[in-house]
Amino acid sequence: MRKLSLTTTFALVSLAAMAVLGVALVIASQRLLQGQALTQARYTAEAYVRVGVQAVTEPEMFAPGRLPAPVVAELDGILRSDQGSALRTVRLWSDDGSVIYDSACPECLAGDNPGVSGIPDLRFEEVMRAGGSDSVAALVDEVAADGRAERRLDVYVPVAFPGESRPSGMAEVVLTYDDTAAAVAQGVRTIALVVLAGLAVLWLLLFRTVRQASRRLRFQAAENARLALLDPLTGLPNRRLLNDRLERAAAVATRTGLHVGLVLLDIDRFKEVNDTLGHPRGDALLKVVAERLRGTARDADTVARLGGDEFAILLPTVGSVEDAEAFTRRVQSEVFDEPFDIDGLVLHVDTSIGLAVLPEHADDVTDLMARADVAMYTAKAAGIGIATYSAAVDGNSESRLTLLGDLRRALDTDDQLVMHYQPKVDLRTGRVVGLEALLRWWHPVQGLVAPNEFIPVAEQTGLMHQLTARVLGLVASQIAVWQREGEVLPVAVNLSARNLLEPNLDEVVAALLDMHQISPHLLEFEITESAIVEDPRRAGEMLRRLSAMGIAVAVDDFGIGNTSMGQLRSMPLNTIKIDASFVTNLGHDEAGGVLVRAIVDLAHEFGLVAVAEGVEDEAAIVRLRDLDCDVAQGFHWSRPVPAAELPAVLERIRTQPTVGGAPVRS
Ligand code: C2E
Ligand code: MG
Ligand code: MG
């Protein structure tokens, strides 16, 4: 059975209560009116006895026997003259309880044995014994001769003459009840009507108030439930609602054999949008993305925001993995191809989309969520935009995912990320002319993690931005320390491709230099070829701004990338760093020398300094000098070391001329 609503329950219960109250009121008032009618009847009867009977009789007449004939005639006369009033019959009793007058049946008293008929012994006793001061009235129902039910009022009145100590006899006055009954009925009707109308109005008012309150409560409850399941910024379902629907879709899919697709999507470099354009613009972007996503999905699909810049689309019924993949491509082109206009600012936004399908990629909803996440991460890490879950990359991805999480936490600590410094040596003079700052991560569990392991991962996420900010901060404060100590060398910092695309990198750097009171000539940036190739226009623009500030720029790992000469020419470069792979074996590899010579010549052609990386032995140094290379660095002189160990390293290089010291030219 359906449960009754609060309002209906209240309406019914209150209605029943009011009905009971109404009936009770009507019955009570009926009783009251009847009581009043009886009192009224008593007054009438008493008045008749005092004024009528006692006026024509004497106390002595109330002895057994019969009233004198003239008195009877007078009494009959009074009765007759009172026709039309309620008075019907009168009987008189003597003090011993025998009837001495009966207006209704004079012949009853005609014999010698005067009236004993119909004497209500009990009443007589009651009235006479009570001292004769009070009359008694009673409603009597009787059946008339014609069979009609009739009601009459019998009033027993003591006949007490003034001066007598006790009543001389009793009168039974019978009054018709019809008029009284009509008056009582009319009164009861009126009262019932008033009570009913009053209660109805009261009930309506109560009902209205309760209904309004109940509606308000229901509305509030519905609103609360809605808010608990929706994302306040975009109005999209939140993670909880998505999970709910996912569970339901999975249950249906297992029954019907259909597939459930889950698409996870996150905006690339959203953090940069937030950081550089401000949170209001970030929010506005999220709203537009939400709108476009909703426009692309079908009604049956659920587009949800999981938090931050992460969205999900649930495809509750999808034909196949291929169908779901086609959908992800459509999302990518329909939602992200067109630039976003945020307050008149045109933004090109990229996304990473991950897809996992039930039951192909997962057995249950929890797995499906995790796998779509792995797929999204793969898309991001590989920079491929869209990825479908693949078990092959999963293990790798998961360990990288944890690494990313750990790195994020490392950025919150002060001691896990430290800089090591490697000296660069002038091949002609043997003197240290600069340092390269290289990042080291002391992982709390894994120990030292090499930058090659975590930087490529960080580069695919917004973390690189924070990582570089940390590196720049550490290096700048270290330079400031050296500056105070009096011996300072230029320090090269490695930048990632992503860093060059940060629109305000130059401002951040300028602020740092200013804060630490450092000359821009003490800072150098190393950029790999790939960073230039990725977006030559924007990279070139940023490099020009940095260069204009007086900061030197080097191309790192040169020789393994595929920068065109034209591109290199347009960049404001100071240095070319020859990749270690051409240098390390130089002492024992004739062919390698040709390449190094070509790069050195090219550098000099452009007026750039040639720096060799990865010098591990004397033989390489000898070849590099032959090839006219300017500067070199490598384990031969020193591994990258913490700042604290650097003075000892520099001292060793200075005092041991054989260790890469000045060339002994013949
Ligand atoms: P890189 O900029 O080319 O740095 C030179 C790498 O060669 C360093 O590896 C250094 O330790 C290593 N190296 C130096 N001398 C020798 C040698 O004689 N033989 C050999 N085999 N290797 C030598 P490391 O420190 O592991 O850094 C690896 C890469 O990670 C760097 O290559 C750079 O691209 C990146 N990296 C390091 N620190 C940072 C950083 O703070 N920011 C960015 N964006 N990238 C960084
Ligand atoms: Mg470098
Ligand atoms: Mg390098």
Side-chain angles (χ1 to χ4, degrees):
M1 205 178 76
R2 221 173 67 109
K3 212 170 156 267
L4 290 179
S5 78
L6 184 70
T7 323
T8 317
T9 311
F10 170 79
L12 292 178
V13 169
S14 61
L15 202 65
M18 295 249 175
V20 170
L21 182 64
V23 170
L25 274 174
V26 169
I27 290 176
S29 54
Q30 191 183 25
R31 291 254 164 89
L32 205 71
L33 285 176
Q34 256 168 11
Q36 268 179 354
L38 291 184
T39 310
Q40 191 61 47
R42 274 176 52 206
Y43 289 156
T44 308
E46 281 169 11
Y48 169 73
V49 170
R50 303 273 121 73
V51 181
V53 177
Q54 286 182 205
V56 296
T57 54
E58 300 290 335
E60 311 71 66
M61 293 179 186
F62 287 84
R66 189 182 310 188
L67 284 182
V71 175
V72 170
E74 269 196 85
L75 284 175
D76 286 347
I78 296 172
L79 261 186
R80 263 198 306 280
S81 70
D82 254 3
Q83 284 301 322
S85 77
L87 207 59
R88 259 174 50 187
T89 59
V90 177
R91 275 186 204 161
L92 294 180
W93 272 269
S94 69
D95 62 350
D96 70 343
S98 58
V99 177
I100 54 172
Y101 170 77
D102 189 341
S103 69
C105 183
E107 63 280 3
C108 299
L109 301 176
D112 287 331
N113 186 18
V116 280
S117 64
I119 300 174
D121 269 341
L122 283 174
R123 296 289 184 204
F124 182 78
E125 292 294 309
E126 193 182 338
V127 172
M128 299 301 279
R129 297 288 169 270
S133 53
D134 286 324
S135 54
V136 174
L139 255 180
V140 179
D141 288 307
E142 61 178 12
V143 182
D146 56 5
R148 267 191 313 120
E150 223 182 28
R151 268 201 152 178
R152 56 189 175 84
L153 273 165
D154 282 7
V155 188
Y156 304 92
V157 187
V159 183
F161 289 95
E164 299 287 323
S165 57
R166 50 188 303 273
S168 309
M170 186 187 82
E172 181 194 1
V173 181
V174 177
L175 302 163
T176 57
Y177 187 65
D178 296 350
D179 295 346
T180 316
V184 168
Q186 178 61 42
V188 170
R189 263 200 304 280
T190 313
I191 288 177
L193 220 68
V194 170
V195 166
L196 208 74
L199 286 182
V201 170
L202 189 66
W203 183 81
L204 276 177
L205 284 176
L206 271 178
F207 179 70
R208 227 179 61 134
T209 315
V210 167
R211 197 178 53 178
Q212 274 172 356
S214 145
R215 272 193 192 156
R216 252 203 307 279
L217 281 176
R218 272 212 307 272
F219 176 79
Q220 198 56 50
E223 186 67 4
N224 288 347
R226 198 177 68 83
L227 288 180
L229 296 175
L230 294 186
D231 164 50
L233 178 69
T234 59
L236 290 179
N238 62 15
R239 191 184 285 274
R240 237 179 85 190
L241 186 52
L242 176 80
N243 276 339
D244 256 29
R245 298 203 177 153
L246 202 52
E247 297 275 5
R248 246 180 295 155
V252 173
T254 19
R255 265 188 280 119
T256 56
L258 279 164
H259 311 250
V260 177
L262 182 65
V263 178
L264 289 189
L265 174 161
D266 133 329
I267 298 171
D268 292 347
R269 297 188 292 130
F270 177 72
K271 200 181 167 302
E272 285 174 28
V273 174
N274 252 351
D275 288 351
T276 55
L277 303 179
H279 284 265
R281 283 217 175 92
D283 285 355
L285 174 64
L286 289 175
K287 280 194 211 170
V288 182
V289 170
E291 249 167 61
R292 289 194 191 174
L293 284 175
R294 220 172 352 210
T296 304
R298 294 170 307 171
D299 284 349
D301 304 339
T302 297
V303 179
R305 179 170 171 232
L306 304 184
D309 60 339
E310 209 178 323
F311 293 88
I313 306 170
L314 163 67
L315 311 171
T317 51
V318 72
S320 63
V321 175
E322 290 69 36
D323 286 356
E325 282 176 340
F327 173 77
T328 57
R329 283 192 294 275
R330 200 153 62 77
V331 168
Q332 193 184 38
S333 63
E334 282 182 18
V335 177
F336 294 96
D337 271 3
E338 192 191 325
F340 291 80
D341 186 335
I342 305 297
D343 299 340
L345 211 92
V346 177
L347 289 180
H348 290 268
V349 175
D350 282 333
T351 177
S352 300
I353 301 177
L355 167 72
V357 177
L358 194 83
E360 277 79 355
H361 303 137
D363 295 330
D364 58 32
V365 164
T366 317
D367 263 7
L368 187 68
M369 199 59 147
R371 305 249 145 121
D373 206 45
V374 167
M376 182 176 83
Y377 173 72
T378 311
K380 194 175 277 295
I384 48 180
I386 303 180
T388 304
Y389 173 77
S390 145
V393 296
D394 196 355
N396 182 26
S397 299
E398 257 169 41
S399 67
R400 289 176 120 197
L401 272 178
T402 27
L403 197 70
L404 263 185
D406 291 348
L407 187 56
R408 203 165 275 152
R409 278 184 286 281
L411 278 163
D412 292 335
T413 69
D414 283 333
D415 51 358
Q416 288 190 32
L417 296 169
V418 292
M419 299 313 295
H420 281 194
Y421 298 90
Q422 186 179 41
K424 295 189 219 173
V425 178
D426 185 317
L427 286 172
R428 288 184 197 88
T429 62
R431 290 169 57 171
V432 175
V433 289
L435 302 166
E436 178 173 7
L438 295 154
L439 182 57
R440 297 291 178 264
W441 177 14
W442 291 99
H443 187 283
V445 179
Q446 296 179 24
L448 189 70
V449 183
N452 283 335
E453 273 182 62
F454 63 89
I455 284 181
V457 181
E459 273 176 339
Q460 304 299 333
T461 70
L463 271 193
M464 198 56 226
H465 175 78
Q466 284 165 267
L467 210 53
T468 302
R470 171 66 62 90
V471 167
L472 285 172
L474 288 171
V475 170
S477 48
Q478 186 58 60
I479 294 176
V481 170
W482 285 327
Q483 209 161 236
R484 279 198 296 278
E485 289 171 359
E487 195 181 350
V488 63
L489 290 163
V491 181
V493 171
N494 294 279
L495 290 184
S496 290
R498 294 249 171 267
N499 298 134
L500 288 185
L501 304 182
E502 286 163 25
N504 67 340
L505 178 69
D506 53 332
E507 288 165 26
V508 171
V509 172
L512 257 181
L513 293 178
D514 189 51
M515 188 171 110
H516 292 283
Q517 290 295 299
I518 300 171
S519 155
H521 302 289
L522 289 177
L523 203 57
E524 188 178 356
F525 284 135
E526 297 187 7
I527 291 109
T528 57
E529 280 181 85
S530 56
I532 295 170
V533 176
E534 198 164 295
D535 191 341
R537 194 185 54 78
R538 283 171 71 188
E541 208 174 87
M542 181 51 72
L543 288 180
R544 267 187 292 279
R545 276 195 255 161
L546 292 169
S547 178
M549 285 165 59
I551 299 173
V553 177
V555 195
D556 206 351
D557 302 344
F558 190 79
I560 56 169
N562 46 5
T563 359
S564 72
M565 283 303 122
Q567 273 168 344
L568 273 190
R569 239 201 153 99
S570 67
M571 298 290 159
L573 299 177
N574 305 77
T575 304
I576 287 183
K577 294 188 77 174
I578 306 162
D579 192 73
S581 58
F582 309 117
V583 177
T584 308
N585 283 322
L586 204 56
H588 325 280
D589 167 21
E590 265 309 309
V594 180
L595 235 151
V596 174
R597 181 187 293 280
I599 298 173
V600 171
D601 286 350
L602 176 80
H604 290 165
E605 181 79 16
F606 286 151
L608 309 177
V609 180
V611 178
E613 294 185 297
V615 175
E616 295 184 359
D617 54 22
E618 291 267 3
I621 301 176
V622 172
R623 283 302 304 278
L624 285 169
R625 279 190 190 127
D626 277 351
L627 298 171
D628 212 15
C629 187
D630 306 299
V631 177
Q633 66 187 89
F635 296 167
H636 176 69
W637 286 281
S638 166
R639 291 182 172 269
V641 293
E645 294 173 24
L646 203 60
V649 168
L650 296 180
E651 188 55 24
R652 182 165 48 79
I653 296 172
R654 227 191 325 259
T655 53
Q656 295 181 356
T658 44
V659 185
V664 189
R665 288 243 167 119
S666 52

